[in-house]
PDB file of all heavy atoms in Angstrom:
ATOM      1  N   LYS V  15      97.638  99.535 110.986  1.00 96.00           N
ATOM      2  CA  LYS V  15      98.111 100.624 111.876  1.00 96.00           C
ATOM      3  C   LYS V  15      99.630 101.036 111.487  1.00 96.00           C
ATOM      4  O   LYS V  15     100.111 102.088 111.918  1.00 96.00           O
ATOM      5  CB  LYS V  15      98.038 100.164 113.285  1.00 96.00           C
ATOM      6  CG  LYS V  15      96.631 100.119 113.914  1.00 96.00           C
ATOM      7  CD  LYS V  15      96.610  99.953 115.372  1.00 96.00           C
ATOM      8  CE  LYS V  15      95.160 100.076 115.935  1.00 96.00           C
ATOM      9  NZ  LYS V  15      95.185  99.917 117.360  1.00 96.00           N
ATOM     10  N   MET V  16     100.283 100.099 110.765  1.00 97.00           N
ATOM     11  CA  MET V  16     101.687 100.433 110.398  1.00 97.00           C
ATOM     12  C   MET V  16     101.746 101.518 109.362  1.00 97.00           C
ATOM     13  O   MET V  16     102.799 102.204 109.233  1.00 97.00           O
ATOM     14  CB  MET V  16     102.331  99.218 109.870  1.00 97.00           C
ATOM     15  CG  MET V  16     103.835  99.401 109.587  1.00 97.00           C
ATOM     16  SD  MET V  16     104.845  99.755 110.979  1.00 97.00           S
ATOM     17  CE  MET V  16     105.259  98.209 111.642  1.00 97.00           C
ATOM     18  N   GLU V  17     100.671 101.778 108.532  1.00 98.00           N
ATOM     19  CA  GLU V  17     100.753 102.643 107.372  1.00 98.00           C
ATOM     20  C   GLU V  17     101.095 104.078 107.808  1.00 98.00           C
ATOM     21  O   GLU V  17     101.863 104.737 107.101  1.00 98.00           O
ATOM     22  CB  GLU V  17      99.460 102.580 106.547  1.00 98.00           C
ATOM     23  CG  GLU V  17      99.567 103.224 105.180  1.00 98.00           C
ATOM     24  CD  GLU V  17     100.458 102.704 104.228  1.00 98.00           C
ATOM     25  OE1 GLU V  17     101.091 101.570 104.544  1.00 98.00           O
ATOM     26  OE2 GLU V  17     100.395 103.113 103.061  1.00 98.00           O
ATOM     27  N   SER V  18     100.528 104.499 108.858  1.00 98.00           N
ATOM     28  CA  SER V  18     100.943 105.852 109.391  1.00 98.00           C
ATOM     29  C   SER V  18     102.319 106.005 109.816  1.00 98.00           C
ATOM     30  O   SER V  18     102.957 107.134 109.595  1.00 98.00           O
ATOM     31  CB  SER V  18      99.952 106.264 110.550  1.00 98.00           C
ATOM     32  OG  SER V  18      98.661 106.351 110.122  1.00 98.00           O
ATOM     33  N   ILE V  19     102.818 104.946 110.222  1.00 98.00           N
ATOM     34  CA  ILE V  19     104.277 104.970 110.527  1.00 98.00           C
ATOM     35  C   ILE V  19     105.124 104.973 109.242  1.00 98.00           C
ATOM     36  O   ILE V  19     106.123 105.801 109.068  1.00 98.00           O
ATOM     37  CB  ILE V  19     104.690 103.682 111.357  1.00 98.00           C
ATOM     38  CG1 ILE V  19     103.907 103.623 112.717  1.00 98.00           C
ATOM     39  CG2 ILE V  19     106.298 103.520 111.624  1.00 98.00           C
ATOM     40  CD1 ILE V  19     104.038 102.369 113.456  1.00 98.00           C
ATOM     41  N   ARG V  20     104.713 104.215 108.158  1.00 98.00           N
ATOM     42  CA  ARG V  20     105.469 104.425 106.947  1.00 98.00           C
ATOM     43  C   ARG V  20     105.356 105.807 106.411  1.00 98.00           C
ATOM     44  O   ARG V  20     106.323 106.404 105.883  1.00 98.00           O
ATOM     45  CB  ARG V  20     104.810 103.372 105.966  1.00 98.00           C
ATOM     46  CG  ARG V  20     104.879 101.915 106.320  1.00 98.00           C
ATOM     47  CD  ARG V  20     104.306 100.995 105.243  1.00 98.00           C
ATOM     48  NE  ARG V  20     104.264  99.652 105.625  1.00 98.00           N
ATOM     49  CZ  ARG V  20     103.229  98.924 105.979  1.00 98.00           C
ATOM     50  NH1 ARG V  20     102.071  99.530 105.950  1.00 98.00           N
ATOM     51  NH2 ARG V  20     103.366  97.707 106.316  1.00 98.00           N
ATOM     52  N   TRP V  21     104.203 106.392 106.470  1.00 98.00           N
ATOM     53  CA  TRP V  21     103.936 107.706 106.017  1.00 98.00           C
ATOM     54  C   TRP V  21     104.936 108.725 106.693  1.00 98.00           C
ATOM     55  O   TRP V  21     105.537 109.536 106.022  1.00 98.00           O
ATOM     56  CB  TRP V  21     102.493 108.153 106.215  1.00 98.00           C
ATOM     57  CG  TRP V  21     101.569 107.999 105.114  1.00 98.00           C
ATOM     58  CD1 TRP V  21     100.798 106.847 104.812  1.00 98.00           C
ATOM     59  CD2 TRP V  21     101.329 108.882 104.077  1.00 98.00           C
ATOM     60  NE1 TRP V  21     100.044 107.011 103.703  1.00 98.00           N
ATOM     61  CE2 TRP V  21     100.208 108.257 103.281  1.00 98.00           C
ATOM     62  CE3 TRP V  21     101.614 110.206 103.835  1.00 98.00           C
ATOM     63  CZ2 TRP V  21      99.733 108.951 102.153  1.00 98.00           C
ATOM     64  CZ3 TRP V  21     101.014 110.868 102.702  1.00 98.00           C
ATOM     65  CH2 TRP V  21     100.073 110.248 101.969  1.00 98.00           C
ATOM     66  N   LEU V  22     105.004 108.602 107.999  1.00 98.00           N
ATOM     67  CA  LEU V  22     105.854 109.606 108.744  1.00 98.00           C
ATOM     68  C   LEU V  22     107.314 109.451 108.444  1.00 98.00           C
ATOM     69  O   LEU V  22     107.993 110.380 108.351  1.00 98.00           O
ATOM     70  CB  LEU V  22     105.423 109.508 110.237  1.00 98.00           C
ATOM     71  CG  LEU V  22     105.889 110.628 111.160  1.00 98.00           C
ATOM     72  CD1 LEU V  22     105.350 111.901 110.605  1.00 98.00           C
ATOM     73  CD2 LEU V  22     105.571 110.423 112.504  1.00 98.00           C
ATOM     74  N   LEU V  23     107.799 108.118 108.408  1.00 98.00           N
ATOM     75  CA  LEU V  23     109.175 107.947 108.055  1.00 98.00           C
ATOM     76  C   LEU V  23     109.450 108.453 106.658  1.00 98.00           C
ATOM     77  O   LEU V  23     110.499 109.117 106.407  1.00 98.00           O
ATOM     78  CB  LEU V  23     109.446 106.435 108.122  1.00 98.00           C
ATOM     79  CG  LEU V  23     109.585 105.891 109.646  1.00 98.00           C
ATOM     80  CD1 LEU V  23     109.650 104.278 109.501  1.00 98.00           C
ATOM     81  CD2 LEU V  23     110.784 106.403 110.340  1.00 98.00           C
ATOM     82  N   ALA V  24     108.612 108.113 105.730  1.00 98.00           N
ATOM     83  CA  ALA V  24     108.857 108.712 104.386  1.00 98.00           C
ATOM     84  C   ALA V  24     108.844 110.252 104.318  1.00 98.00           C
ATOM     85  O   ALA V  24     109.618 110.849 103.686  1.00 98.00           O
ATOM     86  CB  ALA V  24     107.605 108.233 103.398  1.00 98.00           C
ATOM     87  N   ALA V  25     107.830 110.946 105.079  1.00 98.00           N
ATOM     88  CA  ALA V  25     107.823 112.318 105.061  1.00 98.00           C
ATOM     89  C   ALA V  25     109.102 112.891 105.772  1.00 98.00           C
ATOM     90  O   ALA V  25     109.538 114.003 105.329  1.00 98.00           O
ATOM     91  CB  ALA V  25     106.667 112.743 105.963  1.00 98.00           C
ATOM     92  N   ALA V  26     109.735 112.122 106.603  1.00 98.00           N
ATOM     93  CA  ALA V  26     110.979 112.563 107.312  1.00 98.00           C
ATOM     94  C   ALA V  26     112.248 112.257 106.381  1.00 98.00           C
ATOM     95  O   ALA V  26     113.364 112.586 106.791  1.00 98.00           O
ATOM     96  CB  ALA V  26     111.218 111.917 108.641  1.00 98.00           C
ATOM     97  N   GLY V  27     111.998 111.590 105.260  1.00 97.00           N
ATOM     98  CA  GLY V  27     113.033 111.228 104.389  1.00 97.00           C
ATOM     99  C   GLY V  27     113.860 110.064 104.837  1.00 97.00           C
ATOM    100  O   GLY V  27     115.082 109.964 104.432  1.00 97.00           O
ATOM    101  N   VAL V  28     113.249 109.298 105.623  1.00 97.00           N
ATOM    102  CA  VAL V  28     114.055 108.124 106.312  1.00 97.00           C
ATOM    103  C   VAL V  28     113.755 106.788 105.567  1.00 97.00           C
ATOM    104  O   VAL V  28     112.614 106.396 105.407  1.00 97.00           O
ATOM    105  CB  VAL V  28     113.625 107.944 107.801  1.00 97.00           C
ATOM    106  CG1 VAL V  28     114.344 106.684 108.503  1.00 97.00           C
ATOM    107  CG2 VAL V  28     113.973 109.224 108.600  1.00 97.00           C
ATOM    108  N   GLU V  29     114.789 106.136 105.052  1.00 97.00           N
ATOM    109  CA  GLU V  29     114.658 104.782 104.501  1.00 97.00           C
ATOM    110  C   GLU V  29     114.361 103.747 105.632  1.00 97.00           C
ATOM    111  O   GLU V  29     114.971 103.826 106.689  1.00 97.00           O
ATOM    112  CB  GLU V  29     115.889 104.471 103.715  1.00 97.00           C
ATOM    113  CG  GLU V  29     116.125 105.358 102.395  1.00 97.00           C
ATOM    114  CD  GLU V  29     117.228 104.892 101.700  1.00 97.00           C
ATOM    115  OE1 GLU V  29     117.985 103.998 102.084  1.00 97.00           O
ATOM    116  OE2 GLU V  29     117.614 105.539 100.573  1.00 97.00           O
ATOM    117  N   PHE V  30     113.550 102.809 105.258  1.00 98.00           N
ATOM    118  CA  PHE V  30     113.296 101.692 106.275  1.00 98.00           C
ATOM    119  C   PHE V  30     113.125 100.390 105.565  1.00 98.00           C
ATOM    120  O   PHE V  30     112.857 100.335 104.375  1.00 98.00           O
ATOM    121  CB  PHE V  30     112.116 102.078 107.064  1.00 98.00           C
ATOM    122  CG  PHE V  30     110.826 102.274 106.237  1.00 98.00           C
ATOM    123  CD1 PHE V  30     109.977 101.267 105.937  1.00 98.00           C
ATOM    124  CD2 PHE V  30     110.462 103.576 105.847  1.00 98.00           C
ATOM    125  CE1 PHE V  30     108.766 101.455 105.127  1.00 98.00           C
ATOM    126  CE2 PHE V  30     109.308 103.811 105.066  1.00 98.00           C
ATOM    127  CZ  PHE V  30     108.429 102.786 104.778  1.00 98.00           C
ATOM    128  N   GLU V  31     113.389  99.359 106.409  1.00 97.00           N
ATOM    129  CA  GLU V  31     113.082  97.955 105.966  1.00 97.00           C
ATOM    130  C   GLU V  31     111.921  97.349 106.532  1.00 97.00           C
ATOM    131  O   GLU V  31     111.332  97.932 107.594  1.00 97.00           O
ATOM    132  CB  GLU V  31     114.336  97.061 106.299  1.00 97.00           C
ATOM    133  CG  GLU V  31     115.731  97.610 105.800  1.00 97.00           C
ATOM    134  CD  GLU V  31     116.910  96.801 106.195  1.00 97.00           C
ATOM    135  OE1 GLU V  31     116.640  96.063 107.355  1.00 97.00           O
ATOM    136  OE2 GLU V  31     117.977  96.996 105.860  1.00 97.00           O
ATOM    137  N   GLU V  32     111.383  96.335 105.921  1.00 97.00           N
ATOM    138  CA  GLU V  32     110.200  95.733 106.525  1.00 97.00           C
ATOM    139  C   GLU V  32     110.304  94.198 106.504  1.00 97.00           C
ATOM    140  O   GLU V  32     110.888  93.612 105.582  1.00 97.00           O
ATOM    141  CB  GLU V  32     108.991  96.048 105.639  1.00 97.00           C
ATOM    142  CG  GLU V  32     108.678  97.581 105.508  1.00 97.00           C
ATOM    143  CD  GLU V  32     107.290  97.872 104.955  1.00 97.00           C
ATOM    144  OE1 GLU V  32     106.330  97.628 105.675  1.00 97.00           O
ATOM    145  OE2 GLU V  32     107.295  98.297 103.836  1.00 97.00           O
ATOM    146  N   GLU V  33     109.773  93.600 107.624  1.00 96.00           N
ATOM    147  CA  GLU V  33     109.598  92.111 107.632  1.00 96.00           C
ATOM    148  C   GLU V  33     108.127  91.895 107.725  1.00 96.00           C
ATOM    149  O   GLU V  33     107.468  92.366 108.670  1.00 96.00           O
ATOM    150  CB  GLU V  33     110.384  91.627 108.757  1.00 96.00           C
ATOM    151  CG  GLU V  33     110.206  90.005 108.872  1.00 96.00           C
ATOM    152  CD  GLU V  33     111.062  89.333 109.867  1.00 96.00           C
ATOM    153  OE1 GLU V  33     112.287  89.725 109.997  1.00 96.00           O
ATOM    154  OE2 GLU V  33     110.610  88.454 110.563  1.00 96.00           O
ATOM    155  N   PHE V  34     107.557  91.259 106.724  1.00 97.00           N
ATOM    156  CA  PHE V  34     106.079  90.993 106.686  1.00 97.00           C
ATOM    157  C   PHE V  34     105.742  89.681 107.444  1.00 97.00           C
ATOM    158  O   PHE V  34     106.428  88.668 107.150  1.00 97.00           O
ATOM    159  CB  PHE V  34     105.698  90.910 105.220  1.00 97.00           C
ATOM    160  CG  PHE V  34     105.890  92.153 104.399  1.00 97.00           C
ATOM    161  CD1 PHE V  34     106.575  92.171 103.330  1.00 97.00           C
ATOM    162  CD2 PHE V  34     105.397  93.378 104.952  1.00 97.00           C
ATOM    163  CE1 PHE V  34     106.745  93.375 102.549  1.00 97.00           C
ATOM    164  CE2 PHE V  34     105.658  94.624 104.287  1.00 97.00           C
ATOM    165  CZ  PHE V  34     106.289  94.542 103.056  1.00 97.00           C
TER     166      PHE V  34
END
Side-chain angles (χ1 to χ4, degrees):
K15 291 189 174 182
M16 185 64 87
E17 190 71 353
S18 292
I19 297 168
R20 298 184 186 106
W21 266 88
L22 196 57
L23 286 170
V28 178
E29 295 184 356
F30 56 90
E31 301 174 349
E32 299 191 72
E33 181 171 318
F34 298 126

